[in-house]
Amino acid sequence: MAIYQLPEWAALAPALILALTGLVLFLIDSISPRSTDRTLLAGTAAVGALASLGVAVWFSAAGVGTPTIDGGEGVIEIFDGQFVVDQLALYFMIVVAIVTALIVVASYDYLAGHTYQAEYYSLVILAATGMATVAAANSLVTIFIALELTSLPSYALVAILKDNRGSVEAGLKYFLIGALSSAIFVYGISLVYGATGVLQLDSIAEVIADGGADGFGGLLGLGILMLLGGIAFKTASVPFHFWAPEAYEGAPAPISAFLSSASKAAGFVIAFRVFNVAFPLEEIGAVIGFDWTVAFVVLAIVTMTLGNFAAATQENVKRMLAYSSIGHAGYALIGLAGLSADGGELVMGAALMHLLVYGFMNTGAFLFVALAEHWGVGRTFEDYNGLSTQAPVACGAMAVFLFSLAGIPPFGGFFSKYFLFTGALEAATANTAMLAVAAALVVNSALSLYYYSRLVKALWIEDPPATRDRLGQPTGLYAAIVVAAVMTIVILPGFGPVVEAATGAAEALIN
Amino acid sequence: MMIEALIAVALIGALVTFVAPNRVAGKLAFAISLVPAALSLWMFTAFDGSGNALLDGELAFESHLEWIQFGDYSIEWFVGLDGISLPLVVMTTILCTLAILSSWTPIDSRESQFYGLVLFIEANLIGVFSALDFFVWFIFWEAVLIPMYLLIGVWGGPDRKYAAIKFFVYTNVASLVMFGSFIALVFGLGDAATSFALPDIADAMVNGGGVQSSVFGIDPGTFTALVFIAMFLGFAVKVPVVPFHTWLPDAHVQAPTPASVLLAGVLLKMGTYALLRFNFTMFPEQVATYAVPIAAIAVISVIYGAMLALAQTDLKRIVAYSSVSSMGYVILGLIAYTQFGVGGATFQMVSHGLISGLMFMSVGVIYNVTHTRSVEEMSGLADRMPIAVGILVAGAFGYMGLPLMSGFHGEFTIFFGAFQADFAYAPLFTALAMFGIVIVAGYLLFALQRTVFGPYHLETDYDVGRAPLHDIAPMFVLLALIIALGVAPELIFDMITDAVDPILNGGDL
């Protein structure tokens, strides 16, 4: 394939294309600042996201970043290893690009009549650039910079409905807590640097293995905990989850989808890479005196349980989805909880699969909320009553998302949860605490069926109120929702390649 | 690729119907459903296979593809038919077509969604009866729940919300129990099973000596017993057997007629089919061990279900409860574990599907016309709607097991097989179950005598007249099939016994 003749930095193309798209959007805006040509703006953003997706899929399929042992071309290191492009990076670039494309298309209708069109699309694309960069970042510094590139546009996006008090308040809360967590994260980085003297992830691991951090165990341990805190914020995991329901509820619904799917995936790629590469279990245990998977076991159980119980008590659909997305963060954390000194690729791969499927089903669910906001039908379960009589296709898609989130066959969510479950059981041979995690997964999935099916019941079975106006059929929102629903179903027959890609990415990381 | 074609036609048809305009949806769905019905009839005539799909069998229309490899286990797209599943597939496609035809009158809102869901159920039911990989099978199995939940919940009677949720929760919890225990079983088999293909697992259980390693510190014997019991309970809810039957009358009575037809006709068979495929094929030793309690459950279901039916005054409820009793016969036939017992049970699955479908359709037609189902409000209907009532009476006779109708052959072979069974007190259990026939005849004749015969009298304001042809036609088709199978049971009984024999002979033909 011709890509092998490209310069090395071209491996970052999925992120670079997004960055370029952002600049093009700025250019369009500066040529005609008052323009609110939604078609041009949304079209440009969508083309950029799809191009990024196409290149990422192409690279991934062509074997870029596959370790040489497996017959691949080797992991590509750029800027002296500050960035790496491996299968994991490409995998997450794919997830980010998919979600971005869906969001951009859906925003076309959602933003009709809004003043800040160009700003909105450029901010979305810039945030996506940050997320794609996070996926490839291989040093604590590049991770932090890419993370801030993700966060800063997100704060603005949450608050972009300037006339809406909820939106502004949510943006403020998100910003304050985000700033705090950034501070914690960067403090953690400095502590790790203090203990090891290096910032690049593989160098940290080398220094630790060579005994260079001996005597700084406490410092290093504290640094790791603080990094964990920063990641917990990004992934909306307990105990740094408080912002999520507030921000998701106040933000424009497409942005809620963006944050809860793509931004969360970016948080997880940091977690996966940092903890696997920089702090390999065996060596780090000797230095800091504890096994960090214990922290993830606790975090996973608490996060999924709290998220699901809180979701079960909500009356507001958007908040319910927000809490359920906290629950799903708990499921993805199983990937790290199941690691052990001699493996864990399976459970890690399962977590990756779950994040991909989640990218479709959760984005789709939030986009349905965006559609409901566009219609102006209200926010509670009751307001959603009987929508299926007026919009059967969208409600059918929503039923697909909800049953998939609950993990019911024949949808993608069933398989990713099943693989998480078997992965956890497999990991239980090395770490019996994983039995508790597996049990918590099953119990929580069963519980989640309660509140997801409650929404299905509202949409399909309850009678509609007599006084509801005719509902429009916004093309962009419909298109995005239907594509997400089709993918949630079609991913099932195509699960073979997904499993290969995910386990391949996990193996690349762990070995 | 025939099975894939059947499923694909129904699935694509479901999508097309779902987005079609309401006024053409019914006819469109009917036209689409003729395709799988015709294809499956062709498959029936072209059937060429012998033995049991799971044990030493030659499959018809088999296809086997790699799908997913995760860790040590592979999941495959694996479908095929044998003498047990083929008649059920044919019954499914025919019943779905007829159910669609019988919905033209009662369904008058959101038609495209209704027919879309019915076709979606059809696709999944075909999948359940033809899938031979556990995952493929389980996906189809669970996928039936969602559309049925919506059919009951959206188009059902006054208590539809309660009935829909009860149905969903009961059967979903049962599925989870079954799913968990089966996965545990595969892990327990250790190296003997590297895939979820049912034939591999059945072979490992029957010929490979069963669970080999101790799992989580439980010894293999206890472990197998636990799995057997958990799976039995999981399927028992679906069948349903007493005491897990309470979801059934609620769901049946609230469901719209076509959904009741599919529920009684096909969905209940999923339970007994799965029992036959999993418990009774894979665990021969446990079947012998637990024969007495299972036979007791079967007899209780027969008698208690019939007594409950006797106590009802709602025509639909009577038919609904009678299913509990009829499915009890099927369990009795299975536990007999003889050629006639298991073969008769399989035959009875098909027979009961046709007869109960017919009964629900006739009750539906009567309701469409009279707008009541209460036995006490009706009298002398035979005067006003002779054809529909004639079919109802014929169906009732089929239910009672009159010779020359399929119910007779099913019940007779079950009793014959159960008398020969090896377990303790088998003749006693059989005799008790046979007493059920008397009660069945009792409540059916009692209900008929009050509603159909005597002077015409009806406490309703509706004008009672003849039902339209598209309501009557599907019932004639069913009646014809019932009589055909009654006169010539060997149409399907031969292929059934071919497939049943390996189960009884420990995996050999």
Side-chain angles (χ1 to χ4, degrees):
Chain A
M1 279 259 190
I3 49 170
Y4 301 138
Q5 283 123 42
L6 295 173
E8 281 203 331
W9 57 264
L12 274 178
L16 295 176
I17 291 174
L18 286 172
L20 194 68
T21 314
L23 295 179
V24 170
L25 286 166
F26 277 133
L27 190 68
I28 296 173
D29 190 39
S30 53
I31 290 172
S32 128
R34 297 270 173 270
S35 158
T36 48
D37 185 348
R38 294 187 291 139
T39 320
L40 176 65
L41 293 167
T44 311
V47 168
L50 288 175
S52 165
L53 173 63
V55 171
V57 170
W58 170 35
F59 281 6
S60 175
V64 174
T66 321
T68 22
I69 342 156
D70 298 350
E73 291 296 308
V75 174
I76 299 177
E77 296 197 353
I78 302 152
F79 307 135
D80 287 338
Q82 297 291 309
F83 288 102
V84 289
V85 177
D86 55 6
Q87 286 284 315
L88 182 79
L90 289 170
Y91 186 88
F92 275 94
M93 286 174 181
I94 292 172
V95 174
V96 168
I98 289 170
V99 176
T100 311
L102 288 172
I103 300 303
V104 170
V105 173
S107 300
Y108 173 78
D109 297 301
Y110 192 85
L111 282 190
H114 196 269
T115 327
Y116 301 98
Q117 302 277 343
E119 288 82 351
Y120 177 88
Y121 289 109
S122 1
L123 286 172
V124 167
I125 295 293
L126 281 182
T129 312
M131 294 167 195
T133 319
V134 165
N138 191 39
S139 143
L140 290 175
V141 173
T142 44
I143 287 176
F144 183 69
I145 294 172
L147 203 55
E148 288 304 294
L149 178 56
T150 312
S151 300
L152 290 172
S154 306
Y155 303 143
L157 283 169
V158 169
I160 203 161
L161 302 177
K162 283 173 69 177
D163 305 332
N164 180 324
R165 274 189 59 188
S167 173
V168 176
E169 195 183 319
L172 187 65
K173 277 185 188 156
Y174 186 31
F175 173 67
L176 288 176
I177 302 176
L180 179 69
S181 82
S182 289
I184 293 175
F185 192 74
V186 82
Y187 195 45
I189 292 177
S190 66
L191 289 181
V192 172
Y193 180 73
T196 59
V198 284
L199 284 167
Q200 211 162 307
L201 299 182
D202 29 8
S203 314
I204 295 175
E206 274 167 35
V207 170
I208 291 170
D210 294 345
D214 291 354
F216 298 106
L219 201 60
L220 190 59
L222 196 60
I224 291 175
L225 271 185
M226 291 189 138
L227 291 182
L228 188 60
I231 289 165
F233 166 77
K234 259 294 144 202
T235 55
S237 307
V238 175
F240 293 96
H241 65 285
F242 294 105
W243 62 275
E246 305 291 333
Y248 293 172
E249 192 192 353
I255 296 305
S256 314
F258 192 49
L259 292 182
S260 66
S261 305
S263 174
K264 188 169 278 185
F268 276 110
V269 69
I270 300 176
F272 292 165
R273 200 183 284 284
V274 168
F275 280 88
N276 276 307
V277 177
F279 309 121
L281 270 171
E282 260 170 295
E283 289 86 3
I284 197 82
V287 180
I288 62 170
F290 75 89
D291 176 354
W292 51 256
T293 58
V294 177
F296 282 101
V297 167
V298 175
L299 213 55
I301 296 180
V302 174
T303 304
M304 66 175 113
T305 310
L306 196 139
N308 278 303
F309 270 90
T313 59
Q314 299 303 316
E315 277 309 314
N316 179 315
V317 175
K318 219 168 164 187
R319 280 185 85 88
M320 181 276 276
L321 286 177
Y323 277 110
S324 97
S325 97
I326 295 175
H328 280 271
Y331 302 146
L333 284 172
I334 294 176
L336 282 167
L339 289 181
S340 62
D342 57 348
E345 305 88 37
L346 283 186
V347 67
M348 184 81 156
L352 294 180
M353 285 174 232
H354 191 66
L355 286 171
L356 177 67
V357 178
Y358 185 72
F360 288 112
M361 60 191 182
N362 184 63
T363 311
F366 270 108
L367 289 185
F368 183 85
V369 174
L371 185 63
E373 286 182 3
H374 177 87
W375 285 330
V377 293
R379 296 174 152 245
T380 63
F381 281 86
E382 214 171 299
D383 294 327
Y384 280 52
N385 279 355
L387 273 178
S388 68
T389 50
Q390 288 162 293
V393 173
C395 290
M398 186 62 171
V400 169
F401 300 137
L402 292 170
F403 282 123
S404 181
L405 283 166
I408 300 237
F411 307 117
F414 163 66
F415 259 21
S416 60
K417 271 195 190 170
Y418 167 73
F419 287 135
L420 268 174
F421 178 68
T422 38
L425 284 186
E426 201 92 2
T429 48
N431 176 5
T432 40
M434 287 306 287
L435 280 180
V437 176
L441 172 68
V442 172
V443 171
N444 276 298
S445 293
L447 175 69
S448 72
L449 183 59
Y450 159 72
Y451 58 83
Y452 289 128
S453 65
R454 216 181 127 206
L455 186 51
V456 175
K457 179 166 160 268
L459 290 172
W460 280 92
I461 296 182
E462 300 292 344
D463 296 318
T467 57
R468 189 184 281 148
D469 297 335
R470 265 182 64 86
L471 305 175
Q473 296 206 335
T475 333
L477 269 168
Y478 256 82
I481 288 174
V482 169
V483 167
V486 169
M487 287 310 297
T488 308
I489 300 169
V490 169
I491 202 166
L492 195 68
F495 225 79
V498 173
V499 172
E500 263 170 48
T503 40
E507 275 166 18
L509 195 60
I510 288 174
N511 303 325
Chain B
M1 299 305 282
M2 286 304 292
I3 298 167
E4 286 87 346
L6 284 184
I7 297 172
V9 168
L11 267 187
I12 297 166
L15 273 181
V16 172
T17 314
F18 193 83
V19 295
N22 279 335
R23 67 196 149 73
V24 297
K27 298 190 172 71
L28 180 67
F30 175 66
I32 291 168
S33 74
L34 285 176
V35 179
L39 280 179
S40 68
L41 281 174
W42 177 83
M43 286 162 81
F44 183 75
T45 55
F47 177 69
D48 175 26
S50 63
N52 183 292
L54 308 191
L55 299 167
D56 193 31
E58 211 169 283
L59 288 180
F61 313 107
E62 176 186 348
S63 54
H64 201 158
L65 297 168
E66 274 289 316
W67 187 15
I68 300 173
Q69 180 78 39
F70 183 73
D72 300 335
Y73 294 94
S74 67
I75 297 173
E76 287 141 13
W77 170 260
F78 186 8
V79 291
L81 294 174
D82 67 357
I84 294 173
S85 43
L86 180 70
L88 289 166
V89 168
V90 176
M91 180 191 78
T92 304
T93 58
I94 292 179
L95 263 183
C96 283
T97 305
L98 301 178
I100 288 171
L101 201 55
S102 73
S103 341
W104 285 6
T105 310
I107 302 301
D108 53 6
S109 68
R110 303 166 77 178
E111 288 91 342
S112 51
Q113 294 155 38
F114 179 88
Y115 293 106
L117 289 174
V118 172
L119 284 174
F120 183 62
I121 291 192
E122 173 172 8
N124 289 307
L125 289 171
I126 298 169
V128 167
F129 292 129
S130 55
L132 292 172
D133 180 278
F134 179 72
F135 267 90
V136 179
W137 177 85
F138 187 73
I139 285 170
F140 286 126
W141 171 272
E142 283 288 278
V144 169
L145 290 188
I146 297 164
M148 188 47 87
Y149 167 70
L150 292 176
L151 284 182
I152 300 173
V154 178
W155 289 272
D159 277 335
R160 59 186 197 276
K161 290 172 199 169
Y162 171 75
I165 286 174
K166 192 169 177 183
F167 163 77
F168 193 83
V169 171
Y170 257 72
T171 50
N172 194 46
V173 169
S175 297
L176 279 181
V177 170
M178 179 274 296
F179 181 79
S181 53
F182 189 82
I183 296 294
L185 174 70
V186 177
F187 276 100
L189 283 171
D191 297 337
T194 53
S195 76
F196 288 95
L198 296 178
D200 291 357
I201 292 161
D203 196 52
M205 287 299 288
V206 176
N207 299 322
V211 174
Q212 288 162 355
S213 46
S214 85
V215 190
F216 302 127
I218 307 170
D219 73 280
T222 324
F223 181 78
T224 317
L226 284 176
V227 169
F228 177 81
I229 293 169
M231 281 171 64
F232 183 84
L233 292 179
F235 295 130
V237 172
K238 200 91 169 189
V239 173
V241 297
V242 177
F244 304 112
H245 65 288
T246 58
W247 65 268
L248 179 119
D250 285 317
H252 267 321
V253 173
Q254 298 305 326
T257 305
S260 303
V261 171
L262 290 182
L263 253 179
V266 195
L267 261 70
L268 305 187
K269 276 70 198 179
M270 287 166 62
T272 45
Y273 172 79
L275 274 176
L276 173 56
R277 285 293 198 210
F278 289 76
N279 287 67
F280 288 89
T281 302
M282 295 178 185
F283 301 82
E285 288 169 26
Q286 279 67 32
V287 169
T289 314
Y290 296 101
V292 174
I294 292 175
I297 291 173
V299 171
I300 291 170
S301 292
V302 168
I303 305 286
Y304 185 67
M307 304 270 266
L308 285 173
L310 192 60
Q312 306 303 320
T313 56
D314 179 322
L315 213 47
K316 202 168 179 185
R317 243 171 212 283
I318 295 178
V319 183
Y321 275 110
S322 70
S323 288
V324 178
S325 152
S326 292
M327 296 317 280
Y329 289 133
V330 177
I331 307 280
L332 181 69
L334 291 177
I335 196 63
Y337 229 57
T338 55
Q339 195 195 39
F340 274 123
V342 181
T346 313
F347 188 90
Q348 172 79 351
M349 289 184 212
V350 178
S351 161
H352 177 257
L354 301 174
I355 299 178
S356 66
L358 177 66
M359 292 296 279
F360 275 112
M361 275 184 201
S362 1
V363 173
V365 167
I366 290 176
Y367 179 76
N368 291 342
V369 175
T370 62
H371 293 254
T372 178
R373 285 194 301 252
S374 166
V375 172
E376 278 146 13
E377 291 175 12
M378 290 186 256
S379 174
L381 281 180
D383 278 352
R384 294 298 175 99
M385 33 195 323
I387 300 178
V389 162
I391 292 173
L392 174 71
V393 173
F397 284 151
Y399 231 124
M400 291 176 225
L402 246 62
L404 294 186
M405 295 177 100
S406 63
F408 172 74
H409 184 79
E411 284 170 18
F412 175 76
T413 41
I414 287 174
F415 293 139
F416 193 70
F419 265 123
Q420 299 171 329
D422 270 343
F423 58 87
Y425 308 115
L428 178 67
F429 280 119
T430 316
L432 281 174
M434 285 173 88
F435 186 66
I437 297 182
V438 181
I439 313 179
V440 173
Y443 66 73
L444 284 174
L445 290 174
F446 190 52
L448 287 181
Q449 189 243 327
R450 289 206 283 177
T451 54
V452 171
F453 305 116
Y456 173 75
H457 166 70
L458 195 60
E459 287 170 23
T460 174
D461 301 332
Y462 289 92
D463 181 32
V464 175
R466 295 199 176 184
L469 178 67
H470 59 76
D471 278 357
I472 302 288
M475 302 200 290
F476 267 117
V477 177
L478 281 179
L479 195 56
L481 289 172
I482 292 165
I483 294 173
L485 285 184
V487 176
E490 67 275 10
L491 277 178
I492 62 170
F493 198 67
D494 290 349
M495 60 173 77
I496 290 174
T497 37
D498 270 357
V500 162
D501 286 345
I503 302 179
L504 307 169
N505 300 328
D508 299 318
L509 263 178

